[in-house]
Amino acid sequence: MTKALFLDSVFQDRIWGGTKLRDFFGYTIPTETTGEYWAISAHPHGPSTVKNGEFAGKTLIELWAEQPALFGNPKEPVFPLLTKILDANTDLSVQVHPNDAYAKEHENGELGKTECWYIIDCEPGAELVYGHNATSKQQLIEWTRDGKWSDLLRKVAIKPGDFFYVPSGTIHALCTGTLVLETQQSSDTTYRVYDYDRVDKDGNKRELHLEKSIDVTTVPHHDAVLNITTKTTGALTETTFVESEFFAVYKWDIDGKADFEASAPYTLVSVLSGEATLTIDGETTPIKKADHFILPSTCKNWTIDGNVSCIVSTPAK
């Protein structure tokens, strides 16, 4: 098979969600508080389903298990990546994620969660929580115990096009008015540090996980060091955001006809804007804003012709 795998995926209702997944991307959302679209997912809490070709109707979980050659016969027991789009209509909880070793021990073998964010859109003056100001574990414990959130939490101003790498152990939160594409390890483990004392529709506060949060938080905080580069070749401008031990993330801005050669066992593509055609082995398929697809290992070369911007990820090399 040399076709791209186009995907239908799962929406997640969230207390902080809104309607931007409909308003910006045109998706048919299930609620007015839809917070997440798990666009490319093989996680059991929201698996994607192939919608074209001979594997139509198969979940990505099934495909990973039954057709490993499509992914270069990987060693990992589970599909390692997860692409989401998040609509932070209001502030997300302040949270932190474990690394692989901690999650394996404490979360029934779940992967850890290192993630990264591409800011698709945000309101003027928007910001996010990225890191903390505690200089020791003891200070972290004291400030969380005493609710000294303004002392503890580090706020960062953001604008569309910004990129943040969020290693496990990093205290973080998306804030009001932010639309983000998130690339992450395939994990659904989140430890809430603080949730603004808000309540759900039943009047209950959401659970916090302070002991585990303190266990896994990196102290002191260090910003991830990135070497973001941009290269233009013909119709393609490719920005390399990160190449880490978990994944690599790029942005393709295409204006015209761009030819590609595979450099990884498989490639995940999310179209953020525009329209184009994707040609593989002489077969052409239209692609457009809001599409998400995987180029499997059987796709060695492809051409994209049009005007599109895409966020692209590959597994760690």
Side-chain angles (χ1 to χ4, degrees):
M1 176 184 175
T2 55
K3 295 178 182 290
L5 304 168
F6 286 83
L7 302 169
D8 273 329
S9 297
V10 176
F11 295 96
Q12 306 281 359
D13 186 79
R14 296 289 187 254
I15 193 172
W16 41 262
T19 63
K20 284 185 181 175
L21 289 166
R22 177 187 68 206
D23 303 340
F24 190 93
F25 281 104
Y27 297 125
T28 301
I29 58 176
T31 69
E32 298 293 295
T33 52
T34 299
E36 302 185 13
Y37 184 51
W38 289 25
I40 304 176
S41 168
H43 194 282
H45 292 175
S48 300
T49 302
V50 179
K51 62 181 183 179
N52 68 303
E54 64 184 284
F55 301 117
K58 290 279 190 182
T59 68
L60 193 49
I61 296 173
E62 293 171 324
L63 214 56
W64 182 261
E66 298 169 5
Q67 301 289 336
L70 290 176
F71 306 97
N73 295 304
K75 297 178 181 177
E76 302 97 331
V78 297
F79 188 79
L81 302 181
L82 174 53
T83 301
K84 295 178 182 176
I85 301 177
L86 291 84
D87 171 14
N89 187 50
T90 59
D91 293 344
L92 274 68
S93 62
V94 178
Q95 56 194 247
V96 66
H97 305 303
N99 62 20
D100 286 344
Y102 192 94
K104 182 178 181 180
E105 180 178 352
H106 296 274
E107 305 298 336
N108 300 313
E110 176 91 319
L111 290 177
K113 190 175 176 186
T114 285
E115 63 190 30
C116 59
W117 304 323
Y118 176 80
I119 309 299
I120 300 170
D121 195 26
C122 62
E123 296 175 359
E127 58 186 9
L128 51 79
V129 173
Y130 184 73
H132 63 85
N133 297 313
T135 58
S136 67
K137 283 280 188 179
Q138 186 58 38
Q139 191 172 54
L140 176 65
I141 292 167
E142 291 172 358
W143 283 359
T144 54
R145 180 194 63 202
D146 298 339
K148 293 186 175 180
W149 304 113
S150 60
D151 293 329
L152 177 65
L153 301 178
R154 181 170 172 265
K155 299 282 188 75
V156 179
I158 61 172
K159 63 185 184 303
D162 283 349
F163 180 85
F164 293 86
Y165 187 65
V166 188
S168 60
T170 303
I171 287 180
H172 64 277
L174 297 175
C175 298
T176 299
T178 308
L179 185 66
V180 168
L181 186 140
E182 178 175 290
T183 303
Q184 60 161 91
Q185 291 181 270
S186 184
S187 172
D188 197 24
T189 298
T190 292
Y191 299 149
R192 293 193 195 100
V193 180
Y194 177 53
D195 198 35
Y196 311 98
D197 297 319
R198 61 188 163 189
V199 296
D200 63 19
K201 64 182 186 303
D202 299 318
N204 300 313
K205 292 183 180 180
R206 294 197 296 173
E207 181 184 5
L208 300 180
H209 315 91
L210 291 179
E211 185 174 339
K212 287 181 176 179
S213 295
I214 289 166
D215 275 353
V216 305
T217 296
T218 301
V219 183
H221 167 77
H222 297 286
D223 283 353
V225 177
L226 297 175
N227 179 29
I228 298 175
T229 61
T230 300
K231 179 182 180 181
T232 298
T233 306
L236 169 67
T237 297
E238 182 178 66
T239 301
T240 300
F241 287 124
V242 66
E243 293 176 323
S244 77
E245 62 184 294
F246 303 106
F247 44 68
V249 179
Y250 312 92
K251 185 167 186 266
W252 293 344
D253 290 299
I254 300 168
D255 186 10
K257 185 177 181 180
D259 295 319
F260 295 85
E261 182 176 342
S263 61
Y266 52 93
T267 301
L268 284 56
V269 182
S270 297
V271 185
L272 298 186
S273 65
E275 296 182 351
T277 56
L278 169 68
T279 302
I280 303 169
D281 285 352
E283 184 173 340
T284 296
T285 304
I287 60 173
K288 64 184 186 308
K289 177 181 179 178
D291 283 346
H292 304 270
F293 57 91
I294 298 174
L295 296 161
S297 65
T298 49
C299 296
K300 305 301 184 186
N301 300 275
W302 60 90
T303 298
I304 297 177
D305 189 356
N307 192 307
V308 289
S309 291
C310 307
I311 297 293
V312 178
S313 59
T314 60
K317 295 179 180 179

